[in-house]
């Protein structure tokens, strides 16, 4: 494995140094012959913002490949899922240990995630710089 995550996409719009690319994210079973009869197969369209110095070389409608390295993917998964899961479980465990009911402990666990995700939202610009994508024309 070359350490990169790639998706094919189509340039949706270009604004200055920002290229918006529409990709179709599909589940692994989407290519299965019986996928249309199964509720677990799905595909979603996503728009990815890619900052590049030479955005003028791309055209709207052009097929491109969006790339990032696996370290960026791992960091995104950790920030979005692993850390919140640890915070949630730790909060629930502490609340139950402190004598709260399971229902209140679960509510406290969910409530404690609100400031976490708010902080992630406020760090959006920093995260966009750290978790960056590159773009290249599809051949």
């Amino acid at each position: 494995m070359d350490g990169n995550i790639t998706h094919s996409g189509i340039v949706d719009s270009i604004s200055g140094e920002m290229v918006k690319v529409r990709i179709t994210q599909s589940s692994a079973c989407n290519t299965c012959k019986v996928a249309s009869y199964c509720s677990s197969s799905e595909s979603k369209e996503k728009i990815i913002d890619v900052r590049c110095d030479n955005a003028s070389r791309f055209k709207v409608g052009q097929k491109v490949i969006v790339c990032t390295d696996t370290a960026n993917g791992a960091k995104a998964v950790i920030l979005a899922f692993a850390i919140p899961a640890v915070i949630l479980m730790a909060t629930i465990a502490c609340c139950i240990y402190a004598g709260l009911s399971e229902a209140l402990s679960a509510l406290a666990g969910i409530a404690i995630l609100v400031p976490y995700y708010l902080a992630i939202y406020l760090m959006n610009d920093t995260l966009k710089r750290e978790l960056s994508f590159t773009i290249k024309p599809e051949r």
Side-chain angles (χ1 to χ4, degrees):
M1 191 157 98
D2 61 1
N4 285 329
I5 300 169
T6 61
H7 283 286
S8 296
I10 298 174
V11 175
D12 196 52
S13 65
I14 302 168
S15 176
E17 294 180 345
M18 187 66 66
V19 179
K20 292 187 181 281
V21 179
R22 182 179 308 274
I23 64 167
T24 301
Q25 183 182 28
S26 58
S27 65
C29 57
N30 196 38
T31 57
C32 177
K33 292 179 183 175
V34 294
S36 62
Y37 302 107
C38 180
S39 63
S40 66
S41 65
E42 62 181 51
S43 64
K44 299 176 186 173
E45 281 197 347
K46 306 248 182 183
I47 302 286
I48 296 180
D49 295 335
V50 182
R51 185 175 305 279
C52 61
D53 296 332
N54 53 357
S56 60
R57 72 181 179 132
F58 298 104
K59 295 183 177 13
V60 174
Q62 180 180 1
K63 290 185 178 185
V64 294
I65 296 175
V66 178
C67 307
T68 191
D69 61 5
T70 53
N72 274 343
K75 190 184 293 186
V77 168
I78 288 169
L79 286 171
F81 300 110
I83 292 173
V86 169
I87 292 170
L88 177 74
M89 298 307 288
T91 302
I92 291 172
C94 289
C95 289
I96 288 175
Y97 183 75
L100 288 177
S101 70
E102 290 178 1
L104 285 176
S105 298
L107 285 174
I110 293 170
I112 198 108
L113 293 179
V114 172
Y116 175 79
Y117 282 114
L118 182 61
I120 292 290
Y121 176 77
L122 294 174
M123 293 174 36
N124 193 15
D125 291 336
T126 303
L127 291 174
K128 278 185 180 179
R129 283 191 298 276
E130 283 189 32
L131 305 173
S132 62
F133 293 94
T134 58
I135 184 174
K136 58 186 176 183
E138 192 172 87
R139 295 177 195 235

